[in-house]
Amino acid sequence: MNQTGLVLEGGAMRGLFTMGVLDTFLKNNIVIPNVVGVSAGAAFGCNYKSRQIGRALRYNLRYCRDRRYCSIWSLIRTGDLFGAEFCYKTLPFELDPFDCLTFDTSSMDFWVVCTDVFTGKPVYRKITRVDNDCMDWIRASASMPMVSRPVKVGGYTLLDGGMSDAIPLKFMVDRGITKNVVILTRARDYVKEPAKPYPMKLVLRKYPSMVQTMKDRYKMYAFERAYVFEQEKRGNAFVICPERALEISRVEHDPQKLQAVYDEGVRTAESCLDQLKAFLH
């Protein structure tokens, strides 16, 4: 299994579907050694490397209505819809501790994808240990444009990786990892519509390349999904995704809906465990 990869799409709170899948993997001792996560795929998916079953669901259920976690109050007060201090310091190091030791000592390669606001191009970063830079890279990957401040780390100024490389399967293939599990948070029949340009042009007027990347995002997304399903047909990718659209908003505050999406991920993973094990071996 050493030459297998795992690709985690983002999607804000749809990422709890992914965590239902990944927690099921861990419960069945399915540990894939090469992982790349985008946005929520990075912010939630890091718990796969730290092997903390249920953690992402637990803190989302507990804090989804806490204004420090995600709120207009946080956006107005700090410039971030998802409070940076609370989400990436208070929560993982005080309230629901992240297992830094397990993460740091794991042999798993864990990559995150961000977008350079000055070029509009993806930036890939391997996270090897938990420190302030690690949390900044993960935060950058999940920083949704227009409701987040750009994150400065590693000499870059960054926002959400899903804007430039939403499903980084080709990144894995280019690294020589040709057998990949891909977890999507959209159903197979989903088609992304073009974004409205005017709010982007206003809010991100300092970053015209980023605006152009966001305008073209629907084309990139269609291309990447086509590539994923082509690789699936060739037997090189194993795709796990919801059967239908998940009934959840990107910034969902209803604990019952969050739980339902996570449970859907569990059911979906359990239904394909035998096929997945055969693919991996």
Side-chain angles (χ1 to χ4, degrees):
M1 199 185 293
N2 288 338
Q3 293 305 311
T4 57
L6 176 62
V7 179
L8 308 177
E9 182 183 16
M13 289 305 174
R14 293 196 310 275
L16 286 177
F17 172 86
T18 299
M19 290 316 302
V21 174
L22 295 182
D23 284 352
T24 303
F25 284 9
L26 289 174
K27 289 177 182 178
N28 287 272
N29 199 33
I30 298 173
V31 180
I32 299 172
N34 304 284
V35 183
V36 58
V38 183
S39 196
F44 295 168
C46 59
N47 293 283
Y48 180 62
K49 181 171 180 176
S50 66
R51 299 200 180 198
Q52 289 177 276
I53 296 172
R55 178 176 177 269
L57 174 66
R58 182 175 62 243
Y59 72 68
N60 274 286
L61 293 180
R62 184 174 180 182
Y63 297 109
C64 62
R65 290 176 172 166
D66 190 316
R67 66 180 186 175
R68 297 172 297 171
Y69 184 52
C70 175
S71 67
I72 297 300
W73 174 86
S74 175
L75 179 62
I76 293 170
R77 182 173 177 271
T78 71
D80 294 302
L81 185 66
F82 285 86
E85 181 75 18
F86 184 79
C87 292
Y88 297 97
K89 291 185 180 179
T90 305
L91 200 160
F93 297 122
E94 298 177 22
L95 300 177
D96 196 328
F98 187 70
D99 189 340
C100 303
L101 179 61
T102 298
F103 187 96
D104 291 356
T105 57
S106 169
S107 61
M108 180 185 294
D109 276 359
F110 188 85
W111 293 78
V112 301
V113 186
C114 307
T115 302
D116 185 322
V117 298
F118 293 111
T119 67
K121 303 297 183 183
V123 176
Y124 307 92
R125 176 74 174 192
K126 185 163 75 169
I127 305 298
T128 58
R129 63 188 303 272
V130 179
D131 55 19
N132 288 333
D133 272 6
C134 158
M135 288 300 172
D136 283 345
W137 279 101
I138 292 174
R139 176 163 70 95
S141 182
S143 289
M144 296 185 291
M146 299 190 292
V147 292
S148 306
R149 293 170 296 165
V151 179
K152 294 183 178 180
V153 59
Y156 295 95
T157 304
L158 304 165
L159 282 171
D160 192 335
M163 300 299 108
S164 56
D165 193 355
I167 314 171
L169 175 57
K170 193 168 188 306
F171 167 76
M172 283 299 215
V173 173
D174 288 346
R175 294 185 65 236
I177 302 168
T178 55
K179 179 182 283 191
N180 289 280
V181 178
V182 182
I183 304 179
L184 305 178
T185 59
R186 298 285 195 181
R188 286 178 179 267
D189 60 354
Y190 176 76
V191 177
K192 183 176 289 295
E193 299 293 331
K196 296 179 180 179
Y198 298 109
M200 295 185 294
K201 287 182 178 179
L202 177 63
V203 177
L204 297 172
R205 57 189 178 277
K206 295 181 181 179
Y207 312 115
S209 294
M210 185 72 187
V211 171
Q212 188 61 50
T213 293
M214 292 171 66
K215 286 172 63 177
D216 292 339
R217 186 184 178 212
Y218 75 101
K219 300 176 185 177
M220 173 273 293
Y221 193 67
F223 176 84
E224 292 194 339
R225 283 174 64 89
Y227 179 72
V228 166
F229 295 129
E230 176 191 353
Q231 290 299 305
E232 182 185 40
K233 288 180 181 178
R234 293 184 177 185
N236 299 326
F238 190 97
V239 179
I240 299 175
C241 63
E243 289 187 4
R244 60 190 67 85
L246 298 171
E247 296 182 2
I248 192 172
S249 73
R250 292 179 62 82
V251 291
E252 187 62 62
H253 297 293
D254 185 340
Q256 291 184 333
K257 291 184 178 181
L258 297 175
Q259 181 73 58
V261 166
Y262 175 88
D263 291 344
E264 181 66 20
V266 172
R267 285 192 296 270
T268 302
E270 289 179 341
S271 71
C272 66
L273 278 177
D274 289 342
Q275 300 97 305
L276 174 63
K277 290 176 181 177
F279 172 81
L280 292 174
H281 296 287

